[in-house]
Amino acid sequence: MNRQEIDALVKQMNVDTATGPVDERVQQVVVRLLGDLFQAIEDLDISQSELWKGLEYFTDAGQANELGLLAAGLGLEHYLDLRADEADAKAGITGGTPRTIEGPLYVAGAPETVSFARMDDGSEEGKIPTLIIEGTVTDTDGNRVEGAKVEIWHANSLGNYSFFDKSQSDFNLRRSIITAADGQYTALTTMPVGYGCPPEGTTQFVLDKLGRHGNRPSHVHYFVSAPGYRKLTTQFNIEGDQYLWDDFAFATREGLVATAADVTDEAEIAKRGLKGPFKHIQFDIELVKEKQDAPSTEVDRRRASA
Ligand SMILES: [Fe+2]
């Protein structure tokens, strides 16, 4: 079949058959995607068995709750970031900390404190370096932003996230810090470790077929929001990790690479109330003022909450 015949067939089966109210947007998207799929079946001569394998794959990936991971791994989520960057540029929006992917592991409802939070539950003390993350939230003119909500989440020493890893305590390594008038936030936590897709999982299954690895560098996720500003979804990835620029989810971007400095100075250790050397990361955040008619940076997707 040629495209004209395909489009006519799709319309005949899915548009002309409507007998009830139609969601025009859903219809538009379904018709387009079906037409493109039929065309791909024609072009690539996809067999019936291959098609059913594909559908079975999505069933398995959905049951394993890995579709979010798949979207990251195949670059779909990064592509959406690039599109959002283009839309910002078109709307005349410049500056601000770069965005990067959210990933599938956010959990809403983390404990909230002002200016400072200890993020870890102490269960890995002595097993992994202590990390202090500090930064200032400003606008694009350098003015400090009061009342910004800095939501931070990261993995433990095994590369696992609380909530999804039931061996961790509730909200371990997940906090919301509200900035005071100085715009500062400080998180006392542990060094995150990079992680890979579950080796037996559905995402890794496809990556294997593509000859790709499924590893991420060590990183820390952020949502930063404040009244009158555009919500920022981002993360920093940590210098020195072998996957820094070889991230299977394509989240590392210029401006989002952080260096973990070793702090051994006794006075500094004492000032922080710590017992020994620690690592320190400075990650300042620049928020962009909300602009009318600019595309929203809020993404409506299903997220876990605890
Ligand atoms: Fe992550």
Side-chain angles (χ1 to χ4, degrees), residues 235-273:
Q235 31 177 303
F236 62 72
N237 290 264
I238 301 174
E239 185 69 71
D241 192 295
Q242 71 172 115
Y243 295 109
L244 180 64
W245 291 106
D246 186 22
D247 175 7
F248 98 101
F250 314 100
T252 311
R253 306 189 76 178
E254 292 293 345
L256 298 178
V257 176
T259 304
D262 285 305
V263 180
T264 53
D265 180 66
E266 291 296 340
E268 192 61 30
I269 292 166
K271 196 179 100 187
R272 303 287 187 165

Side-chain angles (χ1 to χ4, degrees), residues 3 10 27-39:
R3 187 63 195 234
V10 170
Q27 185 188 61
Q28 179 188 34
V29 172
V30 167
V31 163
R32 171 59 188 267
L33 290 181
L34 266 182
D36 288 353
L37 175 62
F38 288 11
Q39 185 68 58

Side-chain angles (χ1 to χ4, degrees), residues 102-105 153-155 161 195 216 219-221 235:
E102 172 182 333
L105 301 171
W153 69 104
H154 68 79
Y161 284 78
Y195 53 86
R216 295 219 54 205
H219 61 277
V220 174
H221 295 267
Q235 31 177 303

